[in-house]
Amino acid sequence: MDNMENKRIQRPLKKSIQYGCIVFVLVLCVFLGVSIYFNYKNLFIKQSQDHIRQIINYVIGYIDNDDLKQCMETNVESPKYKEMMAFLDDVKEDLDPQYLYVIKPLSEDDGNHVLVLLSAENYYDRYEYTEGNLYLGDVLEDEYTKEEVDQMRVIMGEKDIVFMESITYWGHSYCGYYTLHDSTGAPYAILGVDIDLTQMSKDILYKTLGNLVIIIITGAAFIFGFITWASKNITDPIEMLERSAIRYIKRSREVSSPEMLIFEKPDLNIKNEVESLSNTINQMTEDMKDYMFRIISAEKETIHMKEVANTDSLTGVKNKLAYDDEVKQLDIRLKGNLINELGVIMMDVNYLKKINDTYGHKYGDLLIQNFCSIVCDIFVHSPVYRIGGDEFVIILQKNDLANSDKLLKEFEKALNERASGEFNPWEAPSVAVGVAYYDRNKDTDVEDVFRRADDAMYERKKEMKAERLD
């Protein structure tokens, strides 16, 4: 029973459900968190692309490409250049890109050098805090990597806007590059618009965390609701049913009658499979009880029938069928050296035919019954078998075997007292007796012992007949 209790609590269903719900919600949070993060990022990138495209389309309609190219080549600001610079400053103020500029990647021999044509600034940086401003003809030497400059050279051959992430001296940005062409169609510079990804990443993170908080709260509410529901409808009823089953098993090992074997069905009112299982188990235990009653009844009937089949109906002692079965069992025990002592007494009742012929069979039966009464009173520890009409065998066992001589004398004395007393012939039986004991050197089985006892009985019968003739 202790083992059953230990097994019962090794992996409780309630805890498994709790752990499963928690793991499910955590996995869901991770999955949704990653999904939300990338969805927001993609959304922000899409919005950034649209914003960059809007700025570029707005700006390229104002640029005089031939004038700007000439300013690049002469390194002299023209009136149109100054107007364009003011225009770009206004665009930066109004549309708020991180950076708005026109640059040109220099030849491969110059490595990662980039020529500045124009860089938009807000009002404060343009007219008050001018340190760090970029002007026409400035060359950036370390702000871009060689890979980025090489990529710019490739972009110079593109006709549409190219988007890319960039980590430079000025920060982490999402950039849109558009190649500017002069009136002949020759590319000469790149119009660049940068959107700050640092703030964007923070915004994405905050929005993701906000959504995760909502998911976690919702998940916690789901866990609480589901566990409460599962406890009421599944785990608690199963535990109650299990405890009832364990009590039933324990009781089944203690009670002596199926009548006392009762399954205490838990009081469930959940209308689901667990309640149906409880009802099924209860019905099963009742059917088992009925089955056990039928088995017990059948066993009793079998025992009774066997007793009837092995009992002599006239005397109540065992019959020839019981004797044959006992001989088989004794032979097995002798061959297995389970016993080494055995005694057989063969008895034959005299004058049975004479009494039947003289007084009738009723008195012959009384003779046999009186004989059996005397034998059973003396040989109380040994079975008595009626193997013929007037023939009986006693298999000496236990104390009767050890005291066989004494018991035989008591038997002879009891017969003599009846013979010398005032008894009717059927009340004073005359008996011829033969005795033999198992001898390992002479006997191979019980039949050998019986044969010697039978021979001794017939010898005694001859002697008794000779004594009557004298």
Side-chain angles (χ1 to χ4, degrees):
M1 189 56 63
D2 292 338
N3 289 336
M4 290 180 62
E5 292 289 342
N6 290 334
K7 289 180 181 178
R8 188 177 71 84
I9 61 173
Q10 281 182 355
R11 297 182 64 183
L13 181 60
K14 183 179 290 187
K15 285 189 176 180
S16 296
I17 291 176
Q18 291 172 351
Y19 293 152
C21 288
I22 292 172
V23 170
F24 171 76
V25 171
L26 289 176
V27 172
L28 184 64
C29 286
V30 172
F31 175 79
L32 291 180
V34 173
S35 178
I36 290 171
Y37 176 83
F38 283 104
N39 283 337
Y40 272 125
K41 183 175 181 180
N42 291 334
L43 177 62
F44 273 79
I45 294 297
K46 176 73 166 51
Q47 291 175 346
S48 298
Q49 289 179 350
D50 291 342
H51 189 47
I52 291 172
R53 187 174 284 109
Q54 179 188 10
I55 294 173
I56 290 177
N57 289 334
Y58 182 50
V59 169
I60 60 176
Y62 195 85
I63 295 176
D64 185 333
N65 288 303
D66 289 337
D67 182 77
L68 182 59
K69 181 178 180 182
Q70 185 177 4
C71 291
M72 176 190 70
E73 293 173 347
T74 62
N75 201 26
V76 175
E77 296 180 1
S78 68
K80 286 187 177 181
Y81 177 91
K82 293 178 180 179
E83 290 176 5
M84 185 170 53
M85 183 171 62
F87 172 74
L88 292 184
D89 288 348
D90 290 340
V91 171
K92 190 173 190 306
E93 288 282 353
D94 295 338
L95 300 181
D96 195 31
Q98 183 184 17
Y99 299 108
L100 177 59
Y101 51 89
V102 179
I103 58 175
K104 178 183 179 181
L106 298 178
S107 63
E108 294 187 10
D109 294 337
D110 293 316
N112 61 337
H113 294 178
V114 175
L115 175 67
V116 177
L117 277 70
L118 193 152
S119 176
E121 305 289 348
N122 56 38
Y123 183 85
Y124 175 78
D125 290 335
R126 175 68 70 189
Y127 299 106
E128 296 185 17
Y129 184 75
T130 59
E131 184 179 352
N133 289 355
L134 298 175
Y135 300 99
L136 176 63
D138 287 347
V139 176
L140 304 177
E141 297 181 353
D142 299 318
E143 284 74 3
Y144 293 97
T145 65
K146 185 176 186 307
E147 290 75 15
E148 289 174 321
V149 175
D150 289 339
Q151 194 167 10
M152 288 179 188
R153 295 190 186 99
V154 174
I155 292 172
M156 290 283 288
E158 299 290 336
K159 294 183 178 181
D160 201 1
I161 301 173
V162 177
F163 298 99
M164 58 184 293
E165 286 190 37
S166 176
I167 300 176
T168 65
Y169 171 82
W170 296 284
H172 185 195
S173 305
Y174 190 73
C175 308
Y177 295 118
Y178 180 76
T179 304
L180 298 176
H181 300 79
D182 60 18
S183 57
T184 65
Y188 70 92
I190 295 174
L191 172 61
V193 180
D194 294 358
I195 302 295
D196 186 12
L197 279 184
T198 303
Q199 184 60 43
M200 182 192 300
S201 298
K202 291 181 180 179
D203 291 342
I204 293 172
L205 181 61
Y206 293 150
K207 287 182 178 293
T208 302
L209 290 177
N211 281 275
L212 280 178
V213 169
I214 296 173
I215 293 171
I216 290 171
I217 293 173
T218 305
F222 164 77
I223 291 173
F224 176 79
F226 182 77
I227 289 176
T228 301
W229 176 86
S231 295
K232 180 181 178 182
N233 292 276
I234 301 176
T235 57
D236 288 349
I238 287 177
E239 287 179 0
M240 294 168 63
L241 183 59
E242 183 186 23
R243 285 193 291 268
S244 294
I246 289 175
R247 285 195 297 270
Y248 179 83
I249 294 171
K250 185 177 181 181
R251 191 176 292 114
S252 69
R253 296 173 180 175
E254 297 173 349
V255 299
S256 56
S257 170
E259 215 167 66
M260 303 170 63
L261 194 56
I262 300 173
F263 176 73
E264 299 174 358
K265 189 178 79 165
D267 184 17
L268 305 177
N269 188 26
I270 50 178
K271 308 300 181 185
N272 62 14
E273 289 83 351
V274 179
E275 183 175 359
S276 176
L277 176 62
S278 176
N279 295 333
T280 302
I281 293 175
N282 182 62
Q283 184 61 49
M284 182 182 67
T285 56
E286 291 298 320
D287 293 344
M288 287 174 60
K289 186 190 294 185
D290 293 341
Y291 179 68
M292 284 187 284
F293 275 124
R294 291 197 296 271
I295 289 178
I296 292 172
S297 176
E299 286 181 348
K300 288 181 179 178
E301 183 67 22
T302 300
I303 293 171
H304 174 69
M305 292 177 64
K306 188 174 181 180
E307 288 178 351
V308 170
N310 290 332
T311 302
D312 180 62
S313 58
L314 176 64
T315 62
V317 300
K318 297 183 178 183
N319 59 17
K320 180 69 164 56
L321 179 62
Y323 172 74
D324 291 339
D325 288 341
E326 181 65 15
V327 168
K328 291 178 183 177
Q329 295 300 318
L330 287 173
D331 283 339
I332 293 173
R333 295 171 67 187
L334 285 172
K335 290 179 181 178
N337 294 321
L338 300 177
I339 57 173
N340 52 21
E341 293 183 334
L342 176 69
V344 175
I345 299 178
M346 182 66 190
M347 293 187 177
D348 183 89
V349 181
N350 298 320
Y351 311 122
L352 175 61
K353 184 176 183 307
K354 183 177 179 180
I355 290 177
N356 282 335
D357 294 341
T358 304
Y359 302 102
H361 286 278
K362 174 182 176 181
Y363 291 96
D365 291 343
L366 288 175
L367 173 66
I368 296 299
Q369 289 173 341
N370 287 325
F371 160 75
C372 284
S373 177
I374 296 171
V375 170
C376 292
D377 286 344
I378 293 175
F379 295 94
V380 294
H381 299 296
S382 301
V384 179
Y385 301 90
R386 186 183 183 188
I387 62 172
D390 54 3
E391 294 181 336
F392 294 82
V393 176
I394 303 171
I395 297 179
L396 294 173
Q397 295 180 347
K398 300 178 182 179
N399 291 338
D400 289 358
L401 179 60
N403 301 315
S404 59
D405 292 340
K406 177 182 176 184
L407 295 176
L408 286 169
K409 289 178 181 180
E410 290 180 6
F411 178 69
E412 186 177 357
K413 179 181 177 183
L415 294 180
N416 291 334
E417 288 177 352
R418 295 263 181 141
S420 61
E422 296 180 0
F423 291 93
N424 292 313
W426 56 84
E427 297 175 328
S430 171
V431 182
V433 179
V435 184
Y437 300 97
Y438 173 71
D439 186 341
R440 188 179 298 276
N441 297 322
K442 296 180 181 179
D443 305 314
T444 58
D445 51 25
V446 177
E447 184 62 26
D448 291 344
V449 185
F450 169 80
R451 194 177 296 110
R452 292 194 291 112
D454 191 54
D455 292 343
M457 181 273 292
Y458 275 108
E459 288 297 323
R460 177 57 183 158
K461 200 172 184 70
K462 290 178 183 178
E463 292 175 1
M464 294 176 71
K465 186 175 181 180
E467 290 173 359
R468 289 197 300 273
L469 292 176
D470 292 341

